[in-house]
Amino acid sequence: MSKVAIVYHSGYGHTKKQAEAVQAGAASAAGATVDLIAISAEGNITDADWATLDAADAIIFGSPTYMGSVSWQFKKFADASSKPWFSQKWKDKIGAAFTNSATMNGDKLSTLHYLFTLGMQHSMVWVGTGLMPANSKAAQRNDINFVGSFSGLMAQSPSDSSPEEGPLPGDLETAKLFGKRVAETAAQFKK
């Protein structure tokens, strides 16, 4: 059994859809319980949300990639996490992250590096996707891990797409596999 908390910001709804797919995957792991925590448009979460993060075995961070990094709302949350950092409340928890941007690259790796650094500041144990990329000539856009990320989950939603249109089904299936991997890893660390 593992307790997974997913804390994310979504500006337009695409990253929310990605977070929900990560949640579905994590919840599919045997014995996992999953809490989804949305960072508000003002960059805040509630005291109850902070308590949920403190009680979790795994924390998955999520943010859209804006101008090569996390949204300011996520950054505000990250800065506020200095309170649990000071007492090392998240030390040895499983950490992981995801991001979404309008372009295939969009400097999403820069966002994942930021989120990884946040996890390392908290002394977390990082989990990547564990998924091979779809990088052959036969690869199709909706294949698993088509975006080809290892250090965290990446998705792409065209800038003129609604959240109903993007991220694409392959990215959402990749998100489910990623969520399940994080929840299963957290359960292994509890043994």
Side-chain angles (χ1 to χ4, degrees), residues 45-57:
I45 63 173
T46 67
D47 289 342
D49 292 334
W50 285 110
T52 297
L53 292 170
D54 292 345
D57 300 309

Side-chain angles (χ1 to χ4, degrees), residues 8-9 39-40 42-44 50 62-64 69-82 114-115 118:
Y8 73 96
H9 174 254
I39 298 169
S40 74
E42 295 77 35
N44 300 316
W50 285 110
S63 174
S69 191
V70 296
S71 64
W72 73 261
Q73 292 91 340
F74 189 93
K75 180 67 166 85
K76 182 179 176 183
F77 156 79
D79 288 348
S81 78
S82 64
Y114 173 85
L115 296 168
L118 175 65

Side-chain angles (χ1 to χ4, degrees), residues 108-161:
K108 287 188 275 286
L109 186 57
S110 180
T111 300
L112 289 179
H113 282 173
Y114 173 85
L115 296 168
F116 168 79
T117 301
L118 175 65
M120 294 302 93
Q121 289 280 314
H122 281 283
S123 303
M124 299 173 87
V125 178
W126 199 256
V127 174
T129 63
L131 298 168
M132 293 300 291
N135 60 1
S136 70
K137 289 191 294 184
Q140 301 291 314
R141 177 61 184 94
N142 278 316
D143 287 348
I144 299 300
N145 202 18
F146 183 84
V147 182
S149 182
F150 297 96
S151 56
L153 176 66
M154 293 182 184
Q156 183 263 334
S157 300
S159 62
D160 58 350
S161 70

Side-chain angles (χ1 to χ4, degrees), residues 1-4 26-34 57 183-184 187 190:
M1 174 138 187
S2 60
K3 293 180 185 176
V4 178
S28 75
T33 59
V34 187
D57 300 309
E184 289 175 346
K190 285 189 73 167

